[in-house]
C-alpha cells in the first residue's frame, strides 16, 4: 500500500518561523549589530564629504539655460532650490551603504546636518576626478564591508563545523560588480527607450512602465537571494545566482511573501527610527533599533534560504525515490 504524499513530503519552511528564528539568533548574538551601528554613528557624528561647492556653478548654468528657453522664474527658483538642498545635504560617505551586498544603514538615507555635538565638519570636494575617486573607493569599501557583514551573520546560522572562509567575501565582491555592470548595461538603454516612449505617447510610456513594474516584482525575489548561496552553500557567483533562480521557480509564492514581509518590516520601522531629530541623543535609539531589526531580518533570510533549499533537496530526493520504486 502506498503512503499518501502528504505523509511522505515534509512541510516547507514557514515565513513566520524563519523571521522568529532570525530575531532569536541576533538576540542571542547581539554583537552582530556592530557593523551597522558603527556605520550609522560615522554618518551621524562623523565628518561629511560634500560636493556642494563643486556643483554650484552648474546651478548658474541651469538658471541661464532656463531663462533662455522661457522657463518662468518661479519654476526655476523651485527647481534650483531643490538642487541646492540635495547638494547641501548629500554626504559622499553615504556611498558606504552599498547594494545588493552591504552594511545596513539608517543615516545613509537621512544625511543629517545637525547632531547633538553640533554641526559636523564639512570637507568639500572640489574636483570631478576627486569625486570619481571617492565614489570608487567608498563603493569598494562598502562592498567589502558588506561581504564581511553577510559572512558574519551567515556564520551564526550555519553549523560550527562548517566554517565560512574569507574567500566568500571575494565571491560577494564579484557578485556586486556583476550586478553593477548589469544595471548599467540594462538600465541606460531602458531609460532611453522609456524617454522616447514618453516623448511619442505618454500613455504608451506609462503602460510600458507599469509592465516593467510588474516584471520587477518577479525579479526582486531571485535578486534578493542571489548572494545567499555564496555564504550558506559556499557556491561561486554564477552557481549562487542559478540556485536563487531555481529556488524562486519552485517556491515563488512563499518566497515572495517572505521578501515582501522583510521589505514591509524594514521600511515601516524605518519611519519609526527616523522620528527622533538628528540633533537629539534620542536618535541613538533609532540607530540601535534599526541595526537590530535589519540584522535580524538578514539572519532570517539566511535561515529561510538554508531551510528552503534543504527542503527542496529532500523533496526532490523523495520524488526520485518514489519514481524509482516499483508500484505495488
Amino acid at each position: 500500500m502506498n503512503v499518501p504524499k502528504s505523509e511522505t513530503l515534509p512541510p516547507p519552511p514557514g515565513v513566520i518561523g524563519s523571521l522568529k528564528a532570525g530575531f532569536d539568533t541576533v538576540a542571542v548574538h547581539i554583537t552582530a549589530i556592530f557593523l551597522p551601528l558603527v556605520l550609522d554613528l560615522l554618518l551621524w557624528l562623523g565628518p561629511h564629504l560634500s560636493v556642494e561647492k563643486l556643483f554650484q556653478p552648474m546651478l548658474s548654468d541651469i538658471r541661464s539655460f532656463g531663462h533662455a528657453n522661457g522657463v518662468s522664474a518661479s519654476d526655476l527658483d523651485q527647481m534650483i532650490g531643490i538642487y541646492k538642498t540635495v547638494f547641501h545635504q548629500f554626504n559622499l560617505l553615504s556611498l558606504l551603504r552599498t547594494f545588493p551586498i552591504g552594511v545596513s544603514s539608517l543615516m545613509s538615507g537621512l544625511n543629517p546636518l545637525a547632531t547633538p555635538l553640533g554641526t559636523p565638519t564639512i570637507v568639500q570636494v572640489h574636483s570631478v576626478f576627486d569625486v570619481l575617486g571617492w565614489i570608487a573607493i567608498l563603493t569598494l569599501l562598502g562592498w567589502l564591508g558588506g561581504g564581511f557583514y553577510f559572512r558574519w551573520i551567515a556564520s551564526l546560522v550555519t553549523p560550527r563545523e562548517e566554517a565560512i572562509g574569507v574567500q566568500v567575501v571575494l565571491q560577494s565582491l564579484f557578485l556586486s560588480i556583476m550586478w553593477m555592470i548589469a544595471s548599467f548595461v540594462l538600465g541606460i538603454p531602458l531609460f532611453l527607450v522609456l524617454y522616447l516612449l514618453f516623448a511619442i505617447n505618454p500613455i504608451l510610456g506609462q503602460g510600458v512602465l507599469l509592465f516593467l513594474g510588474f516584471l520587477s516584482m518577479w525579479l526582486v525575489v531571485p535578486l534578493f537571494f542571489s548572494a545567499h548561496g555564496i555564504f550558506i552553500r559556499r557556491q561561486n557567483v554564477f552557481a549562487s545566482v542559478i540556485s536563487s533562480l531555481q529556488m524562486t521557480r519552485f517556491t515563488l509564492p512563499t518566497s515572495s511573501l517572505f521578501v515582501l514581509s522583510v521589505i514591509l518590516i524594514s521600511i515601516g520601522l524605518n519611519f519609526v527610527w527616523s522620528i527622533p531629530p538628528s540633533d537629539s541623543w534620542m536618535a541613538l535609539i533609532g540607530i540601535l533599533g534599526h541595526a537590530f531589526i535589519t540584522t535580524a531580518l538578514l539572519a532570517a533570510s539566511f535561515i529561510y534560504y538554508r531551510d528552503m533549499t534543504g527542503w527542496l533537496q529532500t523533496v526532490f530526493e523523495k520524488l526520485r525515490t518514489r519514481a524509482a520504486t516499483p508500484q505495488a
Side-chain angles (χ1 to χ4, degrees), residues 296-312:
L297 292 175
L298 178 60
S301 71
F302 280 126
I303 292 170
Y304 177 85
Y305 179 89
R306 178 200 65 191
D307 294 346
M308 185 59 78
T309 53
W311 176 78
L312 285 174

Side-chain angles (χ1 to χ4, degrees), residues 126 151 158 171 177 198 201-202 208 271 276 285 296 301 320:
H126 299 281
R151 174 179 177 266
T158 53
Q171 291 292 331
I177 294 174
F198 272 98
N201 189 322
V208 174
F271 288 106
I285 297 177
S301 71
R320 283 194 294 267

